[in-house]
Amino acid sequence: MRYLITGGSGFIGSNFIHYLFEKYHDVHVTNLDKLTYAGNPANLKKFEANPQYKFVKGDIADAKLVDELMKDVDFVVNFAAETHVDRSITGPSEFIQTNVVGLHTLLDAATQHKKRLHHISTDEVFGDLPLGTGQKFTEHSTYFPSSPYSASKAAGDHLLHAYSRTYGLDATITNCSNNYGPYQFPEKLIPKTIVNALRDKPVPVYAQGRNVRDWIHVKDHCKAIDMVLQTGRTGETYLVGGNCEKANLEVVRQILNLLGKPETLIQLVPDRPGHDLRYAIDSSKIERELAFKRDYEFEKGLAETVEWYKQNQEWWQPLVDRLEKGL
Ligand SMILES: NC(=O)c1ccc[n+]([C@@H]2O[C@H](COP(=O)([O-])OP(=O)(O)OC[C@H]3O[C@@H](n4cnc5c(N)ncnc54)[C@H](O)[C@@H]3O)[C@@H](O)[C@H]2O)c1
């Protein structure tokens, strides 16, 4: 099978490429990535000399390039996006450009070449849920995004559904909850906490740390994407969650505990505008229709992740240096 993976040098995309090469022998992957600050060739170092892997530096909004790359593939899987909510608040334009205009370019090319496309989206398109309730997002939840990031992802989802209905594009979407695991850029909560704690630096937590996220290991997310690609129904959305709701403060405490670091490192900082309170996903559709099951339980997955960052300082140190220089 031949895959065009877009945004494959980021966190989830690179884990997906590892997943494909570990699971299948006959895969050929072309990775189209713009290498923004979040894209990191080191995530895929192990495949550099692999003849079944090809890297192309470029933008998903480049219609000519996308058209060329799409000719010879069976599957297109789009991970390319601007993804950091805080950055979308200070500079939304790039989010609209990649997450809406860029996706639109992929949809046009996939329609023209009659390709099977899968798009990676987020539960953040649904806004948030009240704290302390059992409510969960389902495939029927109303779109109600809070941040420029989630609004741009919501716009992308709507465009994809429109292409599927209007032009018959063979496409699916997964809306997933918060991922954790190796190769996550150290501006996101879990890796940032780990690398700050390892260096005995303060660990910032928004407000009182009561906001709740539903955590899933990135490898379980990759497994779900693969299942939807192989056996999902075209035109459908599948929600993928970890069934693991945790308040941010609880996650930070667990990490400090795993590292043997004091809770005095925690620094409560003023909340960000529009901060979603709680996410929780009902994954019963993908479990029922595609027999999806998670392999990771949070405590084990988190301990492995902490260990990975401990063992891979040469991976994260240059990224932290860049972040601290404001690049
Ligand atoms: N990380 C999560 O917890 C999470 C949860 C649910 C959904 N998602 C979605 O999964 C996808 C991947 O997220 P991630 O965490 O791996 O993101 P990431 O920020 O780690 O990686 C994004 C990648 O896209 C590339 N990119 C950005 N703009 C591009 C462009 N115009 N053309 C080509 N490449 C471009 C970057 O260089 C980077 O390699 C995103 O669509 C995100 O919305 C993420």
Side-chain angles (χ1 to χ4, degrees):
M1 282 293 169
R2 296 156 307 164
Y3 291 77
L4 173 61
I5 307 283
T6 56
S9 302
F11 166 45
I12 307 175
S14 61
N15 273 284
F16 188 67
I17 293 173
H18 281 264
Y19 181 92
L20 286 178
F21 280 117
E22 276 157 28
K23 181 158 181 201
Y24 303 108
H25 293 299
D26 61 343
V27 288
H28 291 258
V29 171
T30 299
N31 170 21
L32 169 63
D33 198 297
K34 189 177 167 185
L35 294 184
T36 66
Y37 78 96
N40 188 352
N43 298 3
L44 296 162
K45 207 170 167 32
K46 124 177 214 200
F47 305 114
E48 271 166 11
N50 184 337
Q52 289 168 236
Y53 172 74
K54 182 174 148 194
F55 174 71
V56 177
K57 185 170 190 285
D59 192 326
I60 57 165
D62 179 342
K64 195 157 167 275
L65 177 63
V66 164
D67 181 71
E68 195 52 43
L69 294 176
M70 226 180 257
K71 284 180 185 153
D72 292 327
V73 295
D74 302 296
F75 294 124
V76 181
V77 191
N78 179 39
F79 296 89
E82 288 293 337
T83 61
H84 195 49
V85 175
D86 293 10
R87 289 178 189 254
S88 82
I89 294 169
T90 49
S93 306
E94 283 175 73
F95 288 73
I96 312 299
Q97 177 58 27
T98 291
N99 302 357
V100 186
V101 179
L103 176 63
H104 172 239
T105 310
L106 293 177
L107 296 176
D108 261 348
T111 304
Q112 203 195 326
H113 293 287
K114 298 195 177 355
K115 297 296 177 185
R116 170 82 176 86
L117 181 143
H118 181 72
H119 175 60
I120 315 303
S121 191
T122 166
D123 58 353
E124 299 191 30
V125 296
F126 304 119
D128 63 356
L129 296 164
L131 289 174
T133 66
Q135 274 175 270
K136 293 187 173 194
F137 296 131
T138 73
E139 285 77 6
H140 303 292
S141 294
T142 306
Y143 275 62
F144 196 48
S146 313
S147 69
Y149 162 67
S150 50
S152 68
K153 294 296 290 184
D157 289 8
H158 290 314
L159 261 182
L160 183 142
H161 283 302
Y163 267 67
S164 165
R165 273 194 73 168
T166 307
Y167 306 115
L169 173 66
D170 184 4
T172 41
I173 303 186
T174 40
N175 294 79
C176 190
S177 60
N178 285 61
N179 286 220
Y180 69 97
Y183 301 112
Q184 187 167 27
F185 194 80
E187 66 184 351
K188 303 280 183 3
L189 180 72
I190 287 183
K192 183 172 181 167
T193 300
I194 300 170
V195 305
N196 281 15
L198 280 171
R199 296 174 305 144
D200 298 308
K201 299 232 173 193
V203 172
V205 175
Y206 280 128
Q208 300 301 311
R210 293 189 316 137
N211 302 56
V212 170
R213 301 293 178 255
D214 174 2
W215 291 99
I216 184 169
H217 194 281
V218 65
K219 285 200 179 129
D220 281 331
H221 185 191
C222 291
K223 181 180 177 186
I225 295 165
D226 184 39
M227 287 179 121
V228 172
L229 265 178
Q230 304 297 335
T231 55
R233 285 185 292 134
T234 190
E236 292 287 314
T237 284
Y238 295 88
L239 263 55
V240 184
N243 197 25
C244 174
E245 286 183 54
K246 301 258 178 214
N248 289 343
L249 190 59
E250 187 186 347
V251 172
V252 167
R253 283 192 172 132
Q254 269 182 273
I255 294 170
L256 293 175
N257 190 33
L258 283 164
L259 289 170
K261 299 287 182 178
E263 291 192 6
T264 48
L265 286 179
I266 297 172
Q267 188 181 63
L268 298 179
V269 297
D271 211 357
R272 78 170 170 229
H275 197 177
D276 285 338
L277 282 176
R278 173 175 163 258
Y279 305 132
I281 282 196
D282 173 353
S283 309
S284 54
K285 176 176 171 181
I286 190 168
E287 290 167 3
R288 193 178 57 248
E289 288 191 12
L290 309 185
F292 170 67
K293 280 199 187 84
R294 286 171 294 273
D295 295 321
Y296 280 82
E297 168 264 327
F298 184 71
E299 274 62 32
K300 177 173 168 280
L302 185 67
E304 278 183 25
T305 302
V306 166
E307 193 52 35
W308 188 87
Y309 281 85
K310 273 170 83 175
Q311 300 300 327
N312 287 280
Q313 183 170 356
E314 79 288 353
W315 178 86
W316 56 259
Q317 189 66 56
L319 307 178
V320 168
D321 292 344
R322 265 168 42 202
L323 273 177
E324 289 178 354
K325 280 187 201 136
L327 301 175

